[in-house]
Amino acid sequence: MNRASRQPLRLVVREAERILTGAGVGSPRVDAEELAAYVLGVRRSRLPMVPLVDSPVIESLRRLVTERARRVPLQHLTGRATMGGVEVAVGPGVFVPRPETELLLEWGLALLRGFTAPLVVDLCTGSGALALAVAHARPDAEVHAVEVDPVALSWARRNVDARADAGETAVRLHSGNVGDPTLLAQLDGTAHLVLCNPPYVPANAEVAPEVARHDPPAAVFAGPDGLTVIPEVVRTGTRLLREGGGIAIEHDDSHGEAVPALLTARRVLTAVTEHADLAGRPRFATALRRMLESAGLPRSGIDR
Ligand SMILES: C[S@@+](CC[C@H](N)C(=O)[O-])C[C@H]1O[C@@H](n2cnc3c(N)ncnc32)[C@H](O)[C@@H]1O
């Protein structure tokens, strides 16, 4: 390689950042560095160890930066996203897991500390990210994941198989609709934890170009108020929970009252709590399934 064709990585990244800033990308520096790390095959934290880069690297990075400037999601370019430290493959046809969903995961993992060999259900699993993160953090868990869309399900299958090949307990994938009253009926009353990041964006909401052009619409939007799927999640999740088990549902920041109200309306749920994201916006709601005997309630009609 001709040494004259080498350039300081620092300058190449700065130029990428400038282009991404001009394109309106929300985190231009991070994205420029992530793309550089991807091309170099190193972690982003290792970039300072790479002072100079050759022209093939510069060319590859330029091509990716051009795509990112056209608002192709970073994760579609690198082909990967992470949840709970677990890397999943993502691309066209599947929702890209978001950092804010880590909060939902943390709540769920904290709840699971009170149980051994817990049973966990991830409704609306997409790439399988949440389910795989739970399986990774809790190898003693039996984790089930449900997805209605066949393309998303095929991404989840690929990710589940990859983790199983790496020696982790396989997540059990189910093709199904959360609105189906018979969904996972064999697990009724057995789940210690139900997690769900469903579609919840109101249909007319303005979204970033990455979302509008690249996330599957059925993974993002849920009717005029964003609430067509969540009531089904509440119904199915409540049915699946065992006494003392918990449910956590991510929602739109306009749902800070509506989703807790849906949970409160189920008499068998208690401790309904609304949680904010790191920006202080309402982001997910949680509840626990009552211990009926201690509450003095009859055992009949326990799915109410
Ligand atoms: C917002 S994405 C979340 C994916 C994943 N849980 C995550 O956090 O990355 C919602 C997912 O729910 C799926 N979905 C939408 N409606 C559904 C339904 N009625 N039953 C099951 N899955 C559904 C979509 O296909 C999509 O994959």
Side-chain angles (χ1 to χ4, degrees):
M1 175 59 58
N2 176 2
R3 291 183 70 82
S5 65
R6 297 181 122 200
Q7 289 187 31
L9 176 61
R10 183 173 49 83
L11 296 185
V12 177
V13 168
R14 195 181 297 163
E15 172 66 1
E17 179 186 6
R18 189 190 62 73
I19 293 167
L20 297 181
T21 301
V25 169
S27 48
R29 180 76 191 186
V30 172
D31 285 27
E33 290 181 357
E34 284 290 352
L35 289 174
Y38 171 68
V39 171
L40 288 162
V42 300
R43 290 186 179 279
R44 193 170 137 227
S45 59
R46 307 291 294 174
L47 289 179
M49 315 290 169
V50 186
L52 295 172
V53 283
D54 298 331
S55 51
V57 168
I58 297 167
E59 275 317 304
S60 299
L61 183 55
R62 280 204 182 120
R63 273 194 296 276
L64 289 171
V65 168
T66 302
E67 288 296 290
R68 185 70 190 99
R70 292 173 49 221
R71 307 299 293 269
V72 176
L74 173 71
Q75 297 85 351
H76 281 204
L77 297 173
T78 62
R80 63 196 185 199
T82 56
M83 178 73 66
V86 171
E87 193 170 288
V88 290
V90 293
V94 73
F95 182 85
V96 173
R98 306 292 206 268
E100 57 263 33
T101 306
E102 300 267 0
L103 299 173
L104 185 92
L105 172 67
E106 275 173 26
W107 183 89
L109 292 179
L111 181 82
L112 289 186
R113 281 186 210 122
F115 301 110
T116 49
L119 192 137
V120 181
V121 181
D122 174 19
L123 297 169
C124 301
T125 198
S127 63
L130 267 173
L132 289 164
V134 172
H136 177 67
R138 289 295 302 260
D140 61 331
E142 176 179 322
V143 184
H144 295 257
V146 177
E147 171 59 49
V148 75
D149 179 68
V151 179
L153 195 66
S154 67
W155 282 99
R157 169 59 56 208
R158 172 177 165 181
N159 288 320
V160 165
D161 288 351
R163 299 301 298 182
D165 287 349
E168 294 205 347
T169 313
V171 166
R172 301 172 197 208
L173 271 181
H174 305 266
S175 168
N177 190 321
V178 78
D180 174 359
T182 66
L183 179 71
L184 301 183
Q186 71 280 14
L187 300 181
D188 277 1
T190 66
H192 296 81
L193 174 67
V194 174
L195 294 176
C196 185
N197 176 21
Y200 57 66
V201 177
N204 63 358
E206 219 176 285
V207 294
E210 287 86 345
V211 179
R213 295 186 210 137
H214 298 281
D215 276 324
V220 176
F221 299 104
D225 57 1
L227 284 169
T228 53
V229 179
I230 288 179
E232 294 172 340
V233 172
V234 172
R235 199 173 311 123
T236 299
T238 303
R239 170 168 63 76
L240 293 171
L241 282 183
R242 65 192 294 139
E243 292 179 19
I247 182 167
I249 305 171
E250 190 170 309
H251 58 67
D252 189 63
D253 54 15
S254 64
H255 297 155
E257 291 180 9
V259 176
L262 286 166
L263 292 166
T264 303
R266 312 298 297 197
R267 284 189 305 134
V268 294
L269 297 182
T270 185
V272 174
T273 307
E274 177 55 35
H275 304 257
D277 61 20
L278 297 177
R281 291 175 301 231
R283 184 54 60 213
F284 71 102
T286 59
L288 301 178
R289 181 149 183 149
R290 256 180 229 286
M291 311 293 270
L292 290 183
E293 277 163 357
S294 64
L297 293 173
R299 286 189 160 269
S300 57
I302 56 167
D303 62 343
R304 298 247 210 283

